[in-house]
């Protein structure tokens, strides 16, 4: 067992973990952060994507012990404390970027990171940027529209600061 | 309390809800990670199950030793088939013919395994990891047996037998023809005659439907709590009502002792329309242990054991006059069941049997199907279920006919399709299409697509011998949706009705609970159904909530599959809402001191005809709850139940056009443009309809270009993860251009048709027709799905080799 501390959505958690525990299982099972979900066992689907120190990573491809000391952002920390949706969440809502919602947490976290890296993407760049995240419901059209809209909102907010 | 005559209410809120692109009320929980998937659940004292699956396709189990696993750290129990004598056989709900053979199929296999992934043992432990570790300590000896994976080979004499006791791999044979139905002529005779008639042509083709899998993103998960008045099962299922009844009919639990809940469910597409062995196993173990139990499959397990779909060989014969008019169609189908029968397995190809006529006037039709067993995972429903297969068959044949007669593929279709004035139209397959206008949708699609310009570009590229050739793919389709009139299902030996149930309950404060038997897994029922009720009762959208997916609260239902939620479930809701209004009418009359016959109900308010004063249904509800002043003999409630049994299926139609670019040097296919114009009847929520169309198109394109479940000759699954089974990602598909035309359904009061399965039905033939259209000048006449770069490249080179050989011999 190894003792690790992670900061998840602004709160510190210290636990003993088995060295083989994946970060996604640590988040879900030990910390009860079930907003992040598991879709496959080959790191293909992207449903478990979270931000680790600002980088979007598939939390099934990282051991919990590797995240010791890291700052982790999950879907559960995106909205404001008063419930106001984050602009990326609002964009997915307005552009029908989700149906069943299972891939949505990973899609949102990947989108946040992607737009930070590429604030003015083309539609093709958005599609490339999301290629590690699978959605079986939407055909991606709503998702791509949402990310395009979000990038504009994010850009305007940046300009307004 | 607000009334619709209140001038403070914005004009916008007085518009009908039906037709509005309401943003979904389902979204917020999913967007904020506050959904409750089954695998999120943890109960006190819960243990975790893992199952041991067969690594071989066909074998006798000669020994099975679980002793070491039972002693392992954290393990609380291990069971094999022999250790669970109370397990009942898994049911199939569709006995398609008198000759159908149903092989033994238990939650845990007994004595033998029939496909890779077949279940051999189950372990319960204090953690998932401990359960998985213990699996490795189970010692199994397999005596391997000969394997059959190809459905045509399985039909042959002397083929290895999947179930030797049955003495054959033929599960069932089933057919229909227009002579017996009295709907048309003798197809075989017409085809024979056509063969010697210079004024007719006969086109014969053998087409294959690739084996694919629904690949929902949420793995299946089950939690059972045996320690309550009712044993409660949470399952990632589309069909909680069906699971409950089949569980109680086959396993040791009575129906009233079991509650099944489908909480948030991540995708379905037919893949979660099943009563699974894993559900039975979790229940059996939980009752043995008297502890809550959870099982969640891994993706690899899902690929091995949740059902697959399609997998057909279609031998098609189409006869037509030289002007392109169809005279007969004969279909001889071989359908791969896999090793076992799920609840609908044998019925899927039968559903297709009704749809091979497509939207065309076929004067003579015959269909014959042979269902066969192979050493593969069982097949069952996947978005469209039998109809995409049929649509592929007829739409590919229409293109072949066009090539044979040197006609434009649109023109050959136009000469055959049912005209607007001919509806309702009785087909040779015995269905009655209620409404449609194929010219209208097709003309609109052609204009959006700029068909003539693309044909000109195609010609230029052909003449220039451009390495990237352009192909235009066409599919004009009709879908059989909205399962279904109960007596029709009865006539087909389907072991269920096709009705749907709803309860509409007015609450004292004027809010409304709508209970319905269909369950949502992404279709937006809570939003769309609330829109319907808002219009029916004339109350605000936000005053309505939907209750579904739990057999304890949504106590009757037939669940969600076959695009039945709106056209059957929605109509049950309409019926219940209208009963609520009629219950309120005498109370309104009493309150207004008027005759009930003089009242009109408009915009949520009863008023005396010709006057403006009145009382809202919400005000009536409060008064009914108080019950201080009710007319004699009236119950003090405004609740109503309605069970809707449809009189017909629903027939959405449309025209799909694909522009595909095929790189002849690499074999890569790129879909450059995709236009579809569909008639799905009256649209409740256009945003949700668009989403359903986009998702279906993507899955349909994926069947045509990317997805295939593959087995080796030894029955090993060689596409068993998402790393080697290619579910498309965002860069693999394009932005679709969609539009609609509306002919109202005449078989329901809202005029709605279905939409969920149109994309998977129409896209595969549109894409494959496009790929072949690009390559026909190079001598390529067929490529089986999926049209991968390797297959396309190989087809080009084989065609070129044939041409060279032809020149040499000449």
């Amino acid at each position: 067992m190894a003792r690790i501390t992670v900061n998840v959505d602004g709160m510190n958690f210290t636990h003993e973990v088995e060295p083989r525990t994946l970060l996604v299982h640590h988040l879900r099972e030990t910390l009860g952060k079930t907003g992040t979900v598991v879709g496959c066992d080959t790191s293909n689907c992207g449903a478990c994507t979270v931000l680790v120190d600002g980088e979007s990573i598939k939390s099934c491809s990282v051991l919990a012990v590797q995240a010791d000391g890291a700052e982790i952002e999950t879907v559960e920390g995106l909205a404001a404390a008063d419930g106001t949706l984050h602009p990326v969440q609002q964009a997915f809502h307005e552009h029908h970027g989700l149906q069943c919602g299972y891939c949505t947490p990973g899609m949102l976290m990947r989108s946040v990171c992607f737009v930070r890296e590429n604030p003015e993407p083309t539609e093709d760049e958005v599609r490339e940027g999301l290629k590690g995240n699978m959605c079986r419901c939407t055909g991606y059209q709503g998702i791509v529209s949402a990310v395009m809209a979000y990038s504009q909102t994010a850009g305007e907010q940046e300009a307004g600061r | 309390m607000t009334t619709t005559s209140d001038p403070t209410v914005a004009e916008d809120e007085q518009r009908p809800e039906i037709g509005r692109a309401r943003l979904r009320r389902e979204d917020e929980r999913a967007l904020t990670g506050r959904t409750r998937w089954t695998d999120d659940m943890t109960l006190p004292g819960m243990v975790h199950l893992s199952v041991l699956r067969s690594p071989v396709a066909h074998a006798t189990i000669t020994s099975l030793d679980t002793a070491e696993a039972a002693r392992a750290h954290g393990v609380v129990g291990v069971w094999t088939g022999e250790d669970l004598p109370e397990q009942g056989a898994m049911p199939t709900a569709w006995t398609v013919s008198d000759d159908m053979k149903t092989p033994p199929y238990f939650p845990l296999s007994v004595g033998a395994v029939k496909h890779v992934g077949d279940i051999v043992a189950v372990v319960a432990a204090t953690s998932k990891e401990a359960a998985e570790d213990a699996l490795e300590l189970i010692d199994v000896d397999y005596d391997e047996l000969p394997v059959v994976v190809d459905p045509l080979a399985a039909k042959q004499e002397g083929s290895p037998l999947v179930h030797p006791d049955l003495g054959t791999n033929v599960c069932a044979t089933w057919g229909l023809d227009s002579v017996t139905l009295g709907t048309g002529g003798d197809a075989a005779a017409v085809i024979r005659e056509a063969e010697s008639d210079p004024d007719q042509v006969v086109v014969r083709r053998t087409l294959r439907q690739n084996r694919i899998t629904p690949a929902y993103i949420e793995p299946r998960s089950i939690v059972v709590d045996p320690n309550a008045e009712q044993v409660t099962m949470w399952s990632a299922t589309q069909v909680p009502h069906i699971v409950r009844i089949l569980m109680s009919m086959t396993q040791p639990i009575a129906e009233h002792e079991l509650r099944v809940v489908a909480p948030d469910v991540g995708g379905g597409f037919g893949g979660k329309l099943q009563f699974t062995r894993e559900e039975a196993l979790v229940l059996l173990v939980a009752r043995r242990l008297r502890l809550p139990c959870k099982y969640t499959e891994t993706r690899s397990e899902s690929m091995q054991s949740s059902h697959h779909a399609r997998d057909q060989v279609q031998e098609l014969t189409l006869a037509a006059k030289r002007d392109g008019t169809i005279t007969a169609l004969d279909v001889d189908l071989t359908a791969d069941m896999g090793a076992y029968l799920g609840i609908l397995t044998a019925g899927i190809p039968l559903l297709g049997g009704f749809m091979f006529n497509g939207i065309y006037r076929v004067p003579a039709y015959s269909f014959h199907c042979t269902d066969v067993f192979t050493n593969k995972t069982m097949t069952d429903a996947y978005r469209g279920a039998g109809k995409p297969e049929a649509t592929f068959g007829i739409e590919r044949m229409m293109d072949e006919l066009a090539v044979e007669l040197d006609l434009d593929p649109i023109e050959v279709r136009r000469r055959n399709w049912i005209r607007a004035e001919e509806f309702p139209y009785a087909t040779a397959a015995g269905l009655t299409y209620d409404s449609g206008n194929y010219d209208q949708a097709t003309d609109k699609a052609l204009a959006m697509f700029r068909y003539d310009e693309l044909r000109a570009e195609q010609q230029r590229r052909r003449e220039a011998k451009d390495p990237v050739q352009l192909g235009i793919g066409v599919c004009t389709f009709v879908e059989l949706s909205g399962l279904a009139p109960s007596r029709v299902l009865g006539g087909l030996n389907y072991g269920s009705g096709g009705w749907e149930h709803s309860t509409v309950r007015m609450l004292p404060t004027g809010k409304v609970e709508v209970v319905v038997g269909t369950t949502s897994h992404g279709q937006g029922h809570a939003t769309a159904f609330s829109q319907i009720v808002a219009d029916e009762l004339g109350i605000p959208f936000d005053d309505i909530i939907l209750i579904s997916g739990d057999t304890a609260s949504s106590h009757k239902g037939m669940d969600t599959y076959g695009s039945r939620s709106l056209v059957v479930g929605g109509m049950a809701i309409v019926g219940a809402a209208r009963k609520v209004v009629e219950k309120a009418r005498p109370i309104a009359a009493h309150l207004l001191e008027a005759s009930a016959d003089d009242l009109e109900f408009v915009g949520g308010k009863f008023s005396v005809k010709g006057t403006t004063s009145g009382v809202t249904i919400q005000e009536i509800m409060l008064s009914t709850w108080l019950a201080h002043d009710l007319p004699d003999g009236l119950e003090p409630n405004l609740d109503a139940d309605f069970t809707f049994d449809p009189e017909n299926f629903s027939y959405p139609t449309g025209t799909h056009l694909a522009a595909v670019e095929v790189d002849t040097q690499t074999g890569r296919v790129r879909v450059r443009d995709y236009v579809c114009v569909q008639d799905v009847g009256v649209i409740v929520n256009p945003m949700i309809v668009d989403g359903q169309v986009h998702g279906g198109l993507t899955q349909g394109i994926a069947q045509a270009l990317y997805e295939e479940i593959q087995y080796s000759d030894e029955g090993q699954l060689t596409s068993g993860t998402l790393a080697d089974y290619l579910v498309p990602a965002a860069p693999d598909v394009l932005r679709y251009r969609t539009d609609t035309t509306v002919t109202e359904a005449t078989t329901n009061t809202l005029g709605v048709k279905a939409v969920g399965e149109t994309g998977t039905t129409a896209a595969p033939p549109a894409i494959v027709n496009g790929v072949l259209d690009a390559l026909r000048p190079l001598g390529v006449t067929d490529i089986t799905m999926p049209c991968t770069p390797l297959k396309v490249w190989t087809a080009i080179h084989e065609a070129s080799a044939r041409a060279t050989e032809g020149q040499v011999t000449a």
Side-chain angles (χ1 to χ4, degrees), chain A residues 39 89 93 99 136 140-141, chain B residues 24 27 31 214 707 728 736:
Chain A
Q89 293 170 316
H93 180 49
Q99 288 181 26
R136 192 61 161 168
Y140 301 102
Q141 195 143 325
Chain B
R24 298 195 323 166
D27 287 357
L31 288 165
E707 295 185 25
Y736 311 112

Side-chain angles (χ1 to χ4, degrees), chain B residues 69-138:
Chain B
R71 288 192 298 269
H73 173 74
V75 170
V76 293
V78 185
W79 296 268
T80 67
E82 273 150 17
D83 302 328
L84 275 184
E86 71 270 35
Q87 70 171 354
M90 299 300 292
T92 179
W94 206 334
T95 305
V96 297
S97 65
D98 293 340
D99 73 353
M100 182 168 123
K101 296 177 176 57
T102 306
Y105 180 40
F106 287 93
L108 285 175
S109 303
V110 183
V113 291
K114 303 294 181 184
H115 67 88
V116 166
D118 209 348
I119 305 180
V120 175
V122 58
V123 174
T126 51
S127 72
K128 182 77 176 169
E129 291 76 14
E132 279 172 3
D133 288 349
L135 291 182
E136 294 180 18
L137 303 173
I138 299 175

Side-chain angles (χ1 to χ4, degrees), chain A residues 20 28 38-41 75 89 93 96 98-100 102 108 123 127-128 131 136-141 145, chain B residues 24 27 31 37 39-40 129 133 213-214 269 298-300 687 691 695 698-699 707 728 730-731 733 735-736:
Chain A
R20 67 170 167 178
R28 286 178 53 79
V38 180
C40 71
D41 32 43
V75 69
Q89 293 170 316
H93 180 49
H96 197 26
L98 66 156
Q99 288 181 26
C100 81
Y102 198 77
L108 293 172
E123 182 164 329
R127 287 180 183 270
E128 279 299 315
K131 73 179 171 192
R136 192 61 161 168
C137 296
T138 62
Y140 301 102
Q141 195 143 325
S145 298
Chain B
R24 298 195 323 166
D27 287 357
L31 288 165
W37 313 104
D39 190 48
D40 294 346
E129 291 76 14
D133 288 349
T213 192
F269 320 114
T298 63
R299 177 59 52 180
S300 315
M687 183 191 78
T698 301
Q699 291 179 343
E707 295 185 25
V733 290
R735 182 168 286 273
Y736 311 112

Side-chain angles (χ1 to χ4, degrees), chain B residues 591-608:
Chain B
L591 293 173
L592 294 170
E593 296 178 343
S595 158
D597 296 338
D598 292 337
L599 297 185
E600 58 183 2
F601 181 68
V602 179
K605 192 165 82 168
F606 284 98
S607 50
V608 180

